[in-house]
Amino acid sequence: MVNFICPVLNARLTSSFGWRNIGRGKEWHQGVDLASPIAGLKVPIYASASGEVVWSAPLSTYGNSVRVLHKIDGKTFETNYAHLDRIMVKKGQVVKQGQRIGVMGNTGGSFGIHLHFEIHEGRYAPSQPNAVNPMKYISLLNSIQENGDELTMSQYNELKNMITELQKENTELKKQLENKLDKQKVRQPLECHKDDWSWFKANGISDGTNPQDFVTREQLATITHRMDKFNTKKFKK
């Protein structure tokens, strides 16, 4: 299974993948914009997956950007991290998933501090023919969002997997409980308890139909044995 992580800790989704208009007319947004609740220019950007840095320099409206090439499960992907304040890796460097590669910024054609993040199924190319919605692969489940309560497909799949695992654990616990109950020995009533039950029936306290019920039997027997006037010598047979 392809595994990408969100490149920003506790990210805020501020602009989705697809058509948008942010004051420059209708335009196609081939990635997502991620902001952070942390103020300032010190927000770290992490590699979404392990791979090789193939670009580490300013690039037109992207400003300072980093691109990482990934080979995952026999497939090629390329991620793009744009508008960085500072780049912390070099071209040709191999990075691990979760490794810091830069600092969030406002360089290039940006209107505020954020990260523009892209995932390409295949190599990055002009006009972005391989760009896909990053939310197909990353999860903001533990992050603050600005897109309401609607779950992304990635979040839905993550929740579904969590529920499946919990159901497996619940089934296993049920099996263990059943095995334990099967091994428990049935406690037989003492003779004095049988006498007590007969007395309850004779005096209309119980109909005497369930003397095998240990809890009820023990409770009633305890009550009678604590009361002198109901000791076993006075029981009516």
Side-chain angles (χ1 to χ4, degrees):
M1 180 179 178
V2 178
N3 179 28
F4 288 93
I5 63 172
C6 183
V8 179
L9 184 63
N10 295 323
R12 219 165 24 96
L13 179 62
T14 58
S15 186
S16 300
F17 180 89
W19 290 105
R20 69 176 187 177
N21 188 337
I22 56 173
R24 297 182 295 203
K26 190 176 182 180
E27 63 179 359
W28 177 255
H29 190 221
Q30 64 268 17
V32 293
D33 289 344
L34 302 172
S36 170
I38 303 174
L41 301 176
K42 303 298 181 181
V43 178
I45 302 301
Y46 303 100
S48 187
S50 300
E52 179 186 353
V53 177
V54 293
W55 181 273
S56 177
L59 179 63
S60 185
T61 57
Y62 280 132
N64 295 330
S65 63
V66 170
R67 295 204 308 270
V68 181
L69 180 64
H70 314 277
K71 300 289 185 178
I72 305 174
D73 297 336
K75 297 180 180 180
T76 297
F77 297 87
E78 193 165 331
T79 50
N80 185 21
Y81 312 78
H83 307 312
L84 300 178
D85 178 70
R86 182 158 58 98
I87 295 173
M88 301 177 66
V89 291
K90 297 179 180 180
K91 183 178 179 179
Q93 182 178 341
V94 175
V95 295
K96 295 181 179 180
Q97 184 179 61
Q99 181 175 333
R100 186 178 297 189
I101 60 174
V103 176
M104 184 182 291
N106 189 28
T107 59
S110 171
F111 292 110
I113 299 172
H114 72 284
L115 173 73
H116 173 80
F117 177 62
E118 299 174 0
I119 294 181
H120 299 258
E121 293 180 342
R123 293 301 305 268
Y124 171 92
S127 76
Q128 322 301 327
N130 299 323
V132 296
N133 188 352
M135 302 312 300
K136 176 181 177 182
Y137 292 107
I138 68 172
S139 172
L140 302 182
L141 187 61
N142 297 320
S143 301
I144 303 170
Q145 299 184 62
E146 291 189 349
N147 59 341
D149 297 327
E150 183 179 354
L151 291 176
T152 66
M153 183 57 67
S154 177
Q155 291 173 331
Y156 169 79
N157 289 330
E158 187 170 340
L159 282 173
K160 184 178 179 181
N161 291 336
M162 290 171 60
I163 291 171
T164 300
E165 289 302 315
L166 288 173
Q167 289 174 336
K168 289 180 180 178
E169 292 179 8
N170 189 39
T171 301
E172 182 61 28
L173 288 173
K174 284 183 177 179
K175 288 181 179 179
Q176 294 179 13
L177 179 59
E178 289 172 357
N179 291 335
K180 186 173 182 179
L181 291 175
D182 290 341
K183 295 177 181 178
Q184 288 182 343
K185 296 181 179 180
V186 178
R187 297 179 64 178
Q188 298 299 324
L190 300 175
E191 288 300 320
C192 64
H193 295 160
K194 292 181 180 179
D195 292 340
D196 293 344
W197 204 269
S198 298
W199 185 88
F200 297 144
K201 182 177 180 180
N203 287 270
I205 299 176
S206 170
D207 60 7
T209 57
N210 59 338
Q212 76 284 354
D213 188 329
F214 179 79
V215 175
T216 305
R217 188 179 65 244
E218 287 288 324
Q219 290 174 336
L220 292 175
T222 300
I223 292 172
T224 58
H225 282 284
R226 287 180 179 177
M227 300 174 65
D228 291 339
K229 64 179 179 179
F230 290 147
N231 62 49
T232 53
K233 293 180 181 180
K234 296 180 182 180
F235 282 176
K236 297 177 182 179
K237 302 289 185 174

